[in-house]
Amino acid sequence: MLKEIIIENVYDFDTAHIFDCGQCFRWNNDIGVVGSYVCKATYDEEKHLLKLETNGGTKEFWQNYFDLDTDYSAIKKMLAASDPDIIPALEYGQGIRILNQDIFETIISFIVSQNNNIPRIKKCIEAICARYGEQLGEYFGEMRYSFPSAGVLAEADVCDLAELKLGYRCEYIVSAARQYLKFGAPADYDELLSYPGIGPKVANCIMLFGLHSVEAFPIDTWVKHIMNDMYGFEKNDVKGMTGFARDRFGNYAGYAQQYLFYFYREKKD
DNA sequence: TCGCAGGTGGTCG
DNA sequence: CGACCACCTGCG
């Protein structure tokens, strides 16, 4: 049974920008699964209304999920002031928002993302949910599944996971779920690095998307291209890029990364 | 066939 | 340290 939630006075919002800027994998055609909730999001840019058709969650829950209490206009102003070169990217992805996502789901999702491409990442994650998640019911024409808990994945058989075409990431997933179960949610970058299958790039993604540490600046192949194109860094000078991001964007580096990533990735097609 | 895709871990020097 | 390199899988 779906209910409708309307949130008023929503600015700096565009579902395409939010769902395609690389932070999440379970939204398609503005329909997504968040926890045990299925949701279809529609934004009216004339009236600045966000309409959600969902099977659950309070208005406050969704308000937080979509990060609606953060002033993105102010963030864009600050980024533009610190670096005029980023302005085209700010305009192109004007509706980007960094979601407040579940930490465990983010950990597993970005372990799956390594050395992988987005369509296949999405396919892999849906396969994990269909196999190990809970049935939430049929919504918008198909059965929806929750993302499995750490307890369930910790007990998963590596060979079963292999059938989902996760490749060498199977072992990482089970080990990571066990570590999470044993020690609880990771709190910082170093703790994330101690997880199997998590290196600097994935750790920064989890910091930014799972822990909402908006100063994190994940450097993937796209950002490497950008930093080479726009700022003249050598392809593999990750250290230089990290320092540059920190110096230029400071505590807003994560936002900058999202605008730049979306701009370059979309522009390429 | 081969390189690449939102990289990481292991092994050398 | 830093530079290589193998690695599941699917696509162009």
Short mmCIF file of all heavy atoms in Angstrom, two decimals, chain A residues 141-185:
data_model
loop_
_atom_site.label_atom_id
_atom_site.label_comp_id
_atom_site.label_asym_id
_atom_site.label_seq_id
_atom_site.Cartn_x
_atom_site.Cartn_y
_atom_site.Cartn_z
N GLY A 141 5.31 -2.58 -10.49
CA GLY A 141 5.44 -3.61 -11.52
C GLY A 141 6.42 -4.73 -11.28
O GLY A 141 6.53 -5.62 -12.11
N GLU A 142 7.13 -4.70 -10.16
CA GLU A 142 8.00 -5.84 -9.90
C GLU A 142 8.27 -6.05 -8.41
O GLU A 142 8.07 -5.15 -7.60
CB GLU A 142 9.33 -5.68 -10.65
CG GLU A 142 10.08 -4.41 -10.35
CD GLU A 142 11.32 -4.28 -11.23
OE1 GLU A 142 12.37 -4.79 -10.83
OE2 GLU A 142 11.23 -3.65 -12.32
N MET A 143 8.69 -7.28 -8.07
CA MET A 143 9.02 -7.59 -6.69
C MET A 143 10.24 -6.79 -6.27
O MET A 143 11.21 -6.71 -7.00
CB MET A 143 9.29 -9.10 -6.56
CG MET A 143 9.65 -9.54 -5.16
SD MET A 143 8.42 -9.10 -3.91
CE MET A 143 7.06 -10.18 -4.36
N ARG A 144 10.17 -6.22 -5.08
CA ARG A 144 11.29 -5.42 -4.57
C ARG A 144 11.90 -6.13 -3.36
O ARG A 144 11.21 -6.77 -2.59
CB ARG A 144 10.80 -4.03 -4.17
CG ARG A 144 10.05 -3.30 -5.26
CD ARG A 144 10.96 -2.81 -6.37
NE ARG A 144 10.19 -2.29 -7.51
CZ ARG A 144 10.75 -1.64 -8.52
NH1 ARG A 144 12.05 -1.44 -8.55
NH2 ARG A 144 10.00 -1.21 -9.53
N TYR A 145 13.21 -5.98 -3.22
CA TYR A 145 13.93 -6.64 -2.14
C TYR A 145 14.76 -5.63 -1.36
O TYR A 145 15.33 -4.70 -1.93
CB TYR A 145 14.87 -7.71 -2.70
CG TYR A 145 14.17 -8.80 -3.47
CD1 TYR A 145 13.93 -8.66 -4.84
CD2 TYR A 145 13.73 -9.96 -2.84
CE1 TYR A 145 13.28 -9.65 -5.56
CE2 TYR A 145 13.08 -10.96 -3.55
CZ TYR A 145 12.85 -10.80 -4.91
OH TYR A 145 12.22 -11.78 -5.62
N SER A 146 14.85 -5.87 -0.05
CA SER A 146 15.71 -5.02 0.77
C SER A 146 17.16 -5.42 0.56
O SER A 146 17.46 -6.51 0.06
CB SER A 146 15.36 -5.18 2.24
OG SER A 146 15.69 -6.49 2.68
N PHE A 147 18.06 -4.55 0.96
CA PHE A 147 19.48 -4.92 0.99
C PHE A 147 19.69 -5.82 2.21
O PHE A 147 19.19 -5.51 3.29
CB PHE A 147 20.37 -3.68 1.08
CG PHE A 147 21.80 -3.96 0.74
CD1 PHE A 147 22.25 -3.83 -0.56
CD2 PHE A 147 22.68 -4.39 1.72
CE1 PHE A 147 23.57 -4.11 -0.88
CE2 PHE A 147 24.01 -4.69 1.40
CZ PHE A 147 24.46 -4.55 0.10
N PRO A 148 20.38 -6.94 2.04
CA PRO A 148 20.52 -7.88 3.17
C PRO A 148 21.31 -7.30 4.34
O PRO A 148 22.15 -6.41 4.15
CB PRO A 148 21.27 -9.07 2.55
CG PRO A 148 21.92 -8.52 1.33
CD PRO A 148 21.04 -7.43 0.84
N SER A 149 21.04 -7.84 5.52
CA SER A 149 21.75 -7.40 6.73
C SER A 149 23.15 -8.00 6.77
O SER A 149 23.46 -8.95 6.05
CB SER A 149 20.98 -7.86 7.96
OG SER A 149 21.03 -9.28 8.04
N ALA A 150 23.98 -7.43 7.64
CA ALA A 150 25.33 -7.96 7.82
C ALA A 150 25.27 -9.40 8.32
O ALA A 150 26.08 -10.24 7.92
CB ALA A 150 26.11 -7.09 8.80
N GLY A 151 24.30 -9.68 9.19
CA GLY A 151 24.17 -11.03 9.73
C GLY A 151 23.94 -12.06 8.63
O GLY A 151 24.55 -13.13 8.64
N VAL A 152 23.08 -11.73 7.71
CA VAL A 152 22.78 -12.66 6.62
C VAL A 152 23.98 -12.86 5.71
O VAL A 152 24.35 -13.98 5.36
CB VAL A 152 21.56 -12.16 5.81
CG1 VAL A 152 21.39 -12.97 4.53
CG2 VAL A 152 20.30 -12.22 6.65
N LEU A 153 24.63 -11.77 5.33
CA LEU A 153 25.78 -11.90 4.41
C LEU A 153 26.98 -12.56 5.10
O LEU A 153 27.78 -13.23 4.45
CB LEU A 153 26.18 -10.53 3.86
CG LEU A 153 25.28 -9.97 2.76
CD1 LEU A 153 25.83 -8.67 2.21
CD2 LEU A 153 25.08 -10.98 1.63
N ALA A 154 27.08 -12.40 6.42
CA ALA A 154 28.18 -13.02 7.15
C ALA A 154 28.05 -14.54 7.11
O ALA A 154 29.04 -15.27 7.19
CB ALA A 154 28.20 -12.53 8.60
N GLU A 155 26.81 -15.00 6.99
CA GLU A 155 26.55 -16.44 6.95
C GLU A 155 26.52 -16.99 5.53
O GLU A 155 26.38 -18.19 5.32
CB GLU A 155 25.20 -16.75 7.62
CG GLU A 155 25.14 -16.41 9.09
CD GLU A 155 26.06 -17.31 9.91
OE1 GLU A 155 26.07 -18.53 9.66
OE2 GLU A 155 26.77 -16.78 10.78
N ALA A 156 26.62 -16.11 4.56
CA ALA A 156 26.48 -16.53 3.16
C ALA A 156 27.63 -17.43 2.74
O ALA A 156 28.76 -17.29 3.21
CB ALA A 156 26.41 -15.30 2.26
N ASP A 157 27.32 -18.34 1.85
CA ASP A 157 28.33 -19.25 1.30
C ASP A 157 29.01 -18.58 0.10
O ASP A 157 28.33 -18.08 -0.80
CB ASP A 157 27.66 -20.55 0.86
CG ASP A 157 28.68 -21.51 0.29
OD1 ASP A 157 29.63 -21.84 1.02
OD2 ASP A 157 28.52 -21.91 -0.88
N VAL A 158 30.32 -18.57 0.12
CA VAL A 158 31.07 -17.88 -0.94
C VAL A 158 30.73 -18.43 -2.32
O VAL A 158 30.65 -17.70 -3.30
CB VAL A 158 32.59 -17.98 -0.67
CG1 VAL A 158 33.37 -17.34 -1.80
CG2 VAL A 158 32.92 -17.29 0.64
N CYS A 159 30.52 -19.72 -2.38
CA CYS A 159 30.19 -20.34 -3.67
C CYS A 159 28.83 -19.88 -4.18
O CYS A 159 28.63 -19.71 -5.39
CB CYS A 159 30.20 -21.86 -3.55
SG CYS A 159 31.82 -22.52 -3.14
N ASP A 160 27.88 -19.70 -3.26
CA ASP A 160 26.56 -19.18 -3.67
C ASP A 160 26.68 -17.77 -4.21
O ASP A 160 26.06 -17.41 -5.21
CB ASP A 160 25.60 -19.19 -2.47
CG ASP A 160 25.22 -20.61 -2.07
OD1 ASP A 160 25.42 -21.52 -2.90
OD2 ASP A 160 24.74 -20.79 -0.94
N LEU A 161 27.50 -16.97 -3.54
CA LEU A 161 27.72 -15.60 -4.00
C LEU A 161 28.36 -15.59 -5.39
O LEU A 161 28.05 -14.74 -6.23
CB LEU A 161 28.63 -14.84 -3.02
CG LEU A 161 27.95 -14.17 -1.84
CD1 LEU A 161 29.00 -13.70 -0.83
CD2 LEU A 161 27.09 -13.01 -2.28
N ALA A 162 29.21 -16.55 -5.62
CA ALA A 162 29.90 -16.62 -6.91
C ALA A 162 28.91 -16.78 -8.06
O ALA A 162 29.15 -16.32 -9.17
CB ALA A 162 30.91 -17.76 -6.91
N GLU A 163 27.80 -17.42 -7.77
CA GLU A 163 26.78 -17.61 -8.81
C GLU A 163 26.16 -16.28 -9.23
O GLU A 163 25.55 -16.18 -10.29
CB GLU A 163 25.67 -18.55 -8.31
CG GLU A 163 26.14 -19.98 -8.16
CD GLU A 163 25.06 -20.88 -7.59
OE1 GLU A 163 23.89 -20.46 -7.61
OE2 GLU A 163 25.41 -21.98 -7.13
N LEU A 164 26.31 -15.28 -8.38
CA LEU A 164 25.77 -13.95 -8.71
C LEU A 164 26.77 -13.15 -9.55
O LEU A 164 26.58 -11.96 -9.78
CB LEU A 164 25.43 -13.19 -7.43
CG LEU A 164 24.55 -13.94 -6.43
CD1 LEU A 164 24.25 -13.05 -5.23
CD2 LEU A 164 23.26 -14.40 -7.08
N LYS A 165 27.84 -13.81 -10.01
CA LYS A 165 28.83 -13.19 -10.90
C LYS A 165 29.58 -12.04 -10.25
O LYS A 165 29.83 -11.03 -10.87
CB LYS A 165 28.16 -12.70 -12.20
CG LYS A 165 27.33 -13.74 -12.91
CD LYS A 165 28.20 -14.88 -13.38
CE LYS A 165 27.37 -15.95 -14.07
NZ LYS A 165 28.17 -17.16 -14.33
N LEU A 166 29.87 -12.22 -8.96
CA LEU A 166 30.58 -11.17 -8.24
C LEU A 166 32.09 -11.32 -8.36
O LEU A 166 32.84 -10.47 -7.89
CB LEU A 166 30.17 -11.20 -6.77
CG LEU A 166 28.70 -10.80 -6.54
CD1 LEU A 166 28.20 -11.33 -5.21
CD2 LEU A 166 28.54 -9.30 -6.61
N GLY A 167 32.51 -12.44 -8.96
CA GLY A 167 33.94 -12.63 -9.16
C GLY A 167 34.71 -12.71 -7.86
O GLY A 167 34.23 -13.23 -6.86
N TYR A 168 35.91 -12.16 -7.89
CA TYR A 168 36.79 -12.24 -6.72
C TYR A 168 36.30 -11.41 -5.54
O TYR A 168 36.87 -11.46 -4.46
CB TYR A 168 38.22 -11.81 -7.09
CG TYR A 168 38.33 -10.42 -7.66
CD1 TYR A 168 38.43 -9.33 -6.81
CD2 TYR A 168 38.33 -10.20 -9.03
CE1 TYR A 168 38.53 -8.04 -7.32
CE2 TYR A 168 38.43 -8.92 -9.55
CZ TYR A 168 38.53 -7.84 -8.69
OH TYR A 168 38.63 -6.58 -9.20
N ARG A 169 35.24 -10.62 -5.75
CA ARG A 169 34.71 -9.79 -4.67
C ARG A 169 33.91 -10.59 -3.65
O ARG A 169 33.61 -10.09 -2.56
CB ARG A 169 33.86 -8.67 -5.25
CG ARG A 169 34.60 -7.83 -6.28
CD ARG A 169 33.69 -6.90 -7.03
NE ARG A 169 34.34 -6.32 -8.21
CZ ARG A 169 34.43 -6.93 -9.38
NH1 ARG A 169 33.88 -8.13 -9.55
NH2 ARG A 169 35.06 -6.37 -10.39
N CYS A 170 33.54 -11.84 -4.00
CA CYS A 170 32.75 -12.70 -3.09
C CYS A 170 33.38 -12.81 -1.71
O CYS A 170 32.72 -12.62 -0.70
CB CYS A 170 32.60 -14.10 -3.69
SG CYS A 170 31.62 -14.13 -5.19
N GLU A 171 34.66 -13.12 -1.70
CA GLU A 171 35.36 -13.31 -0.43
C GLU A 171 35.39 -12.00 0.37
O GLU A 171 35.25 -12.02 1.60
CB GLU A 171 36.81 -13.76 -0.70
CG GLU A 171 36.90 -14.88 -1.70
CD GLU A 171 37.36 -16.18 -1.06
OE1 GLU A 171 37.53 -16.19 0.17
OE2 GLU A 171 37.54 -17.16 -1.80
N TYR A 172 35.60 -10.90 -0.33
CA TYR A 172 35.61 -9.59 0.34
C TYR A 172 34.27 -9.35 1.04
O TYR A 172 34.22 -8.88 2.18
CB TYR A 172 35.84 -8.46 -0.66
CG TYR A 172 37.16 -8.46 -1.39
CD1 TYR A 172 37.29 -7.82 -2.62
CD2 TYR A 172 38.29 -9.07 -0.84
CE1 TYR A 172 38.51 -7.78 -3.29
CE2 TYR A 172 39.51 -9.04 -1.51
CZ TYR A 172 39.61 -8.40 -2.74
OH TYR A 172 40.79 -8.35 -3.39
N ILE A 173 33.19 -9.66 0.32
CA ILE A 173 31.85 -9.37 0.84
C ILE A 173 31.57 -10.12 2.13
O ILE A 173 31.13 -9.54 3.13
CB ILE A 173 30.79 -9.70 -0.23
CG1 ILE A 173 30.91 -8.69 -1.40
CG2 ILE A 173 29.38 -9.66 0.35
CD1 ILE A 173 30.12 -9.07 -2.63
N VAL A 174 31.83 -11.43 2.11
CA VAL A 174 31.56 -12.23 3.30
C VAL A 174 32.47 -11.81 4.46
O VAL A 174 32.01 -11.62 5.59
CB VAL A 174 31.75 -13.74 2.99
CG1 VAL A 174 31.59 -14.56 4.27
CG2 VAL A 174 30.74 -14.18 1.94
N SER A 175 33.75 -11.60 4.17
CA SER A 175 34.69 -11.17 5.22
C SER A 175 34.30 -9.81 5.78
O SER A 175 34.38 -9.59 7.00
CB SER A 175 36.11 -11.10 4.67
OG SER A 175 36.50 -12.34 4.14
N ALA A 176 33.92 -8.91 4.89
CA ALA A 176 33.53 -7.56 5.35
C ALA A 176 32.29 -7.63 6.22
O ALA A 176 32.21 -6.96 7.25
CB ALA A 176 33.29 -6.65 4.14
N ALA A 177 31.32 -8.46 5.83
CA ALA A 177 30.09 -8.60 6.63
C ALA A 177 30.42 -9.15 8.01
O ALA A 177 29.86 -8.70 9.02
CB ALA A 177 29.11 -9.51 5.90
N ARG A 178 31.36 -10.10 8.07
CA ARG A 178 31.74 -10.68 9.36
C ARG A 178 32.45 -9.66 10.24
O ARG A 178 32.20 -9.58 11.45
CB ARG A 178 32.65 -11.90 9.14
CG ARG A 178 31.87 -13.07 8.60
CD ARG A 178 32.73 -14.27 8.34
NE ARG A 178 31.90 -15.35 7.81
CZ ARG A 178 32.36 -16.44 7.22
NH1 ARG A 178 33.67 -16.59 7.07
NH2 ARG A 178 31.54 -17.36 6.78
N GLN A 179 33.32 -8.89 9.62
CA GLN A 179 34.04 -7.85 10.38
C GLN A 179 33.06 -6.81 10.92
O GLN A 179 33.17 -6.36 12.06
CB GLN A 179 35.09 -7.17 9.48
CG GLN A 179 35.93 -6.16 10.24
CD GLN A 179 37.15 -5.71 9.46
OE1 GLN A 179 37.61 -6.40 8.55
NE2 GLN A 179 37.69 -4.55 9.81
N TYR A 180 32.09 -6.45 10.09
CA TYR A 180 31.08 -5.47 10.49
C TYR A 180 30.26 -6.00 11.66
O TYR A 180 29.98 -5.30 12.63
CB TYR A 180 30.17 -5.17 9.30
CG TYR A 180 29.16 -4.06 9.54
CD1 TYR A 180 29.44 -2.76 9.14
CD2 TYR A 180 27.94 -4.33 10.15
CE1 TYR A 180 28.53 -1.74 9.35
CE2 TYR A 180 27.01 -3.32 10.37
CZ TYR A 180 27.31 -2.03 9.96
OH TYR A 180 26.39 -1.03 10.17
N LEU A 181 29.90 -7.27 11.56
CA LEU A 181 29.09 -7.90 12.60
C LEU A 181 29.86 -7.95 13.92
O LEU A 181 29.31 -7.72 15.00
CB LEU A 181 28.74 -9.32 12.14
CG LEU A 181 27.47 -9.92 12.70
CD1 LEU A 181 26.27 -9.05 12.40
CD2 LEU A 181 27.27 -11.32 12.13
N LYS A 182 31.14 -8.22 13.83
CA LYS A 182 31.97 -8.39 15.01
C LYS A 182 32.29 -7.07 15.70
O LYS A 182 32.22 -6.96 16.93
CB LYS A 182 33.28 -9.09 14.61
CG LYS A 182 34.13 -9.53 15.78
CD LYS A 182 35.30 -10.38 15.31
CE LYS A 182 36.22 -10.74 16.47
NZ LYS A 182 37.44 -11.45 15.99
N PHE A 183 32.63 -6.06 14.90
CA PHE A 183 33.11 -4.80 15.49
C PHE A 183 32.11 -3.66 15.41
O PHE A 183 32.37 -2.58 15.92
CB PHE A 183 34.42 -4.38 14.82
CG PHE A 183 35.54 -5.36 15.02
CD1 PHE A 183 35.95 -6.19 13.98
CD2 PHE A 183 36.17 -5.46 16.25
CE1 PHE A 183 36.98 -7.10 14.17
CE2 PHE A 183 37.21 -6.37 16.44
CZ PHE A 183 37.61 -7.20 15.40
N GLY A 184 31.00 -3.87 14.73
CA GLY A 184 30.04 -2.79 14.57
C GLY A 184 30.43 -1.86 13.43
O GLY A 184 31.44 -2.08 12.76
N ALA A 185 29.63 -0.83 13.23
CA ALA A 185 29.86 0.07 12.11
C ALA A 185 31.20 0.79 12.23
O ALA A 185 31.55 1.24 13.31
CB ALA A 185 28.73 1.09 12.03
#
